[in-house]
């Protein structure tokens, strides 16, 4: 008889990713013939632009199929360095740049490189599901800080000050945010920076993955740009997944102090070898290539955002703010909690809400519990306008059916 598998304490500290679970469930239902509308996946429905695909095809033809350097091709690092200068007024040399197979491994490599048991990671909630999980897997202690609708889902200087302890190692910022779409202005970042300047032990990991997805003329700023005195302890992370519709290609990157980047290189050299060579050539084309397609795509996203917010606010028991960016909204479902479905199911929390919505109307959303701020749910509007309209009708019908 086989010995029972005994799991690590680290893995026992975390749950599977809820965003991936919901996306997988929607795909399964669809292939089983259910007319499901997936608002769970955080990925653009647009295709990767042709000039990027062509660069990848050319790289294959040119035989760029061998091991590249562990943490990124020199040409990609140059392109990333130029991007930070161009978009964020930040100067990084190529030895300050780390490339990994997606944003997740970048964060994971940084945490493995720096966290000791008990080190605290401040995470404004609602947060992307994987921040606390990755901190916990690396032995750190996630410290969620509730940031509700009254602060537009943003961390305030007072809340940050109250959360910092001598054990605080990292603060995670994510602007525009997954799951709320909220983005910080330069003045708001400066307010946080003033607190951070008083606590030199705190490093800042800023996840800028949705940088290019902002609407209504919002001016994007990242924290090391808002406060250059934080440059020496900020890891500025980004990637090609969202802006260039390249989720499957898996290229994330970050820039920061050379010592940290060197240590992250040690981690990736032992765990991954390198991000895919072909994807890296595609990423070079993305970063160095034309960006005019973004304007058209953002116009579509903005129209969808406005439609989704208006329609969600018409649903009984829901209320939804209009965020600055990303392709998510995070409606509160407080008004539905405590109600009962026509089949007699009591809605006790947002997990019940999301489950019953999927069961009865075949609309997949991610429950707020996964993001650490309830009762709410995340809607990704990175899906066709037609499917979104249908989904909104179904959500309204579901909410109206509750008593
Ligand atoms: N970041 C996307 C999301 O939140 C993709 C899935 C994941 O990596 O969590 O849906």
């Amino acid at each position: 008889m086989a010995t029972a598998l005994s799991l690590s304490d680290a893995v026992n500290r975390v749950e599977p990713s809820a965003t991936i679970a919901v996306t997988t469930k929607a795909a399964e239902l669809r292939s089983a013939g259910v007319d499901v509308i997936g608002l769970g996946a955080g990925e653009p429905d647009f295709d990767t632009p042709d000039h990027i695909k062509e660069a990848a095809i050319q790289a294959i033809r040119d035989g760029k199929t061998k091991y590249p350097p562990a943490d990124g091709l020199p040409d990609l690092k140059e392109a990333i360095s130029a991007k930070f200068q161009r978009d964020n007024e930040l100067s990084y040399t190529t030895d300050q740049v780390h490339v990994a197979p997606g944003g997740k491994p970048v964060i994971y490599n940084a945490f493995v490189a720096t966290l000791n048991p008990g080190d605290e990671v401040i995470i404004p909630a609602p947060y992307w599901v994987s921040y606390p999980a990755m901190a916990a897997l690396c032995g750190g202690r996630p410290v969620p800080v509730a940031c509700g609708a009254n602060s537009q889902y943003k961390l305030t200087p007072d809340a940050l000050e109250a959360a910092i302890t001598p054990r605080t190692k990292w603060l995670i910022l994510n602007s525009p945010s997954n799951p709320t779409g909220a983005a910080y202005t330069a003045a708001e970042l400066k307010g946080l920076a003033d607190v951070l300047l008083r606590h030199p032990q705190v490093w800042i990991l800023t996840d800028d993955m949705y940088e290019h997805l902002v609407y209504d003329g919002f001016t994007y700023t990242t924290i090391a740009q808002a406060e250059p005195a934080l440059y020496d302890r900020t890891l500025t992370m980004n990637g090609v997944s969202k802006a260039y519709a390249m989720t499957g290609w898996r290229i994330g990157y970050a820039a920061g102090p050379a010592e940290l980047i060197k240590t992250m290189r040690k981690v990736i050299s032992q765990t991954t070898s390198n991000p895919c060579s072909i994807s890296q050539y595609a990423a070079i084309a993305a970063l160095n290539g034309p960006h005019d397609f973004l304007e058209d795509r953002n116009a579509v996203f903005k129209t969808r955002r406005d439609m989704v917010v208006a329609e969600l606010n018409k649903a009984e028991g829901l209320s939804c703010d209009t965020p600055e960016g990303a392709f998510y909204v995070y409606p509160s479902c407080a008004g539905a909690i405590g109600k009962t479905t026509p089949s007699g199911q009591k809605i006790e929390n947002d997990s019940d809400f999301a489950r019953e919505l999927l069961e009865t109307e075949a609309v997949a959303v991610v429950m707020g519990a996964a993001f650490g701020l309830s009762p709410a749910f995340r809607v990704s509007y990175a899906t066709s306008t037609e499917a979104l309209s249908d989904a909104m009708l179904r959500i309204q019908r579901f909410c109206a059916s509750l008593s």
Side-chain angles (χ1 to χ4, degrees):
M1 201 169 74
T3 312
L5 176 65
S6 105
L7 300 177
S8 69
D9 293 342
V11 89
N12 280 332
R13 281 193 282 269
V14 306
E15 295 292 327
S17 162
T19 51
I20 290 188
V22 170
T23 308
T24 308
K25 174 88 181 164
E28 278 168 11
L29 287 170
R30 198 169 296 118
S31 60
V34 179
D35 170 29
V36 67
I37 305 180
L39 308 182
E43 74 176 345
D45 52 316
F46 298 116
D47 199 3
T48 305
D50 283 343
H51 69 278
I52 299 174
K53 292 182 181 172
E54 288 305 326
I57 292 164
Q58 193 57 45
I60 295 172
R61 292 215 171 95
D62 291 346
K64 309 287 192 195
T65 53
K66 305 283 196 268
Y67 290 130
D71 67 344
L73 288 163
D75 284 356
L76 178 53
K77 291 188 175 190
E78 291 285 357
I80 290 166
S81 176
K83 172 262 173 295
F84 280 125
Q85 194 70 59
R86 179 176 69 232
D87 296 340
N88 312 112
E89 302 169 317
L90 291 173
S91 299
Y92 291 110
T93 53
T94 50
D95 65 342
Q96 291 181 277
V97 174
H98 180 86
V99 185
K104 275 174 169 160
V106 172
I107 300 170
Y108 195 77
N109 294 345
F111 283 172
V112 168
T114 57
L115 288 177
N116 282 311
D119 284 349
E120 294 172 4
V121 180
I122 296 177
I123 308 175
Y127 45 70
W128 179 41
V129 294
S130 297
Y131 299 138
M134 289 194 280
L137 280 171
C138 297
R141 198 166 82 76
V143 178
V145 177
C147 303
N150 53 353
S151 64
Q152 290 84 48
Y153 303 104
K154 295 181 217 179
L155 182 64
T156 62
D158 286 349
L160 172 60
E161 183 73 64
I164 293 175
T165 76
R167 291 305 307 265
T168 306
K169 188 76 165 252
W170 287 101
L171 162 68
I172 298 187
L173 290 175
N174 173 216
S175 170
S177 149
N178 176 0
T180 67
Y184 291 83
T185 64
E188 287 166 340
L189 291 172
K190 189 74 179 72
L192 296 176
D194 288 344
V195 175
L196 292 163
L197 290 173
R198 293 197 287 275
H199 299 279
Q201 82 279 18
V202 183
W203 282 60
I204 303 98
L205 193 166
T206 176
D207 175 350
D208 299 352
M209 193 61 89
Y210 297 89
E211 167 183 14
H212 290 297
L213 305 176
V214 289
Y215 316 114
D216 306 321
F218 181 85
T219 303
Y220 183 81
T221 313
T222 191
I223 191 155
Q225 179 185 18
E227 179 45 87
L230 291 175
Y231 175 87
D232 287 337
R233 51 185 166 116
T234 299
L235 185 65
T236 306
M237 191 216 113
N238 212 312
V240 296
S241 292
K242 313 294 178 174
Y244 307 96
M246 293 176 69
T247 46
W249 299 75
R250 309 312 300 138
I251 295 292
Y253 58 84
E259 184 66 22
L260 171 62
I261 297 298
K262 187 176 150 204
T263 315
M264 291 165 67
R265 187 180 312 133
K266 177 160 85 173
V267 173
I268 198 171
S269 77
Q270 290 287 20
T271 56
T272 313
S273 290
N274 58 267
C276 167
S277 59
I278 306 307
S279 295
Q280 292 192 67
Y281 284 97
I284 294 170
L287 292 171
N288 289 345
H291 283 76
D292 45 350
F293 67 92
L294 279 173
E295 205 177 314
D296 296 344
R297 291 183 176 191
N298 281 0
V300 175
F301 278 140
K302 182 199 142 46
T303 307
R304 290 180 188 167
R305 178 203 62 177
D306 291 344
M307 185 272 280
V308 162
V309 169
E311 294 304 316
L312 287 170
N313 279 317
K314 286 184 202 159
E316 247 176 276
L318 304 187
S319 71
C320 186
D321 292 336
T322 302
E324 292 87 355
F327 37 62
Y328 305 113
V329 292
Y330 198 66
S332 160
C333 57
I337 304 301
K339 292 188 174 173
T340 305
T341 67
S343 64
Q345 296 291 329
K346 186 102 187 265
I347 308 283
E348 311 259 23
N349 50 46
D350 54 31
S351 300
D352 292 346
F353 182 93
R355 190 195 58 243
E356 290 303 315
L357 178 63
L358 184 60
E359 291 283 316
T360 58
E361 291 287 356
V363 175
V365 297
V366 186
M367 67 285 195
F371 304 103
L373 198 95
S374 292
F377 59 96
R378 187 186 79 174
V379 167
S380 165
Y381 54 84
T383 194
S384 79
T385 310
E386 197 187 5
L388 276 173
S389 306
D390 188 2
M392 293 304 118
L393 289 177
R394 295 188 195 190
I395 290 175
Q396 288 166 356
R397 193 164 58 205
F398 174 70
C399 288
S401 77
L402 303 175
S403 53

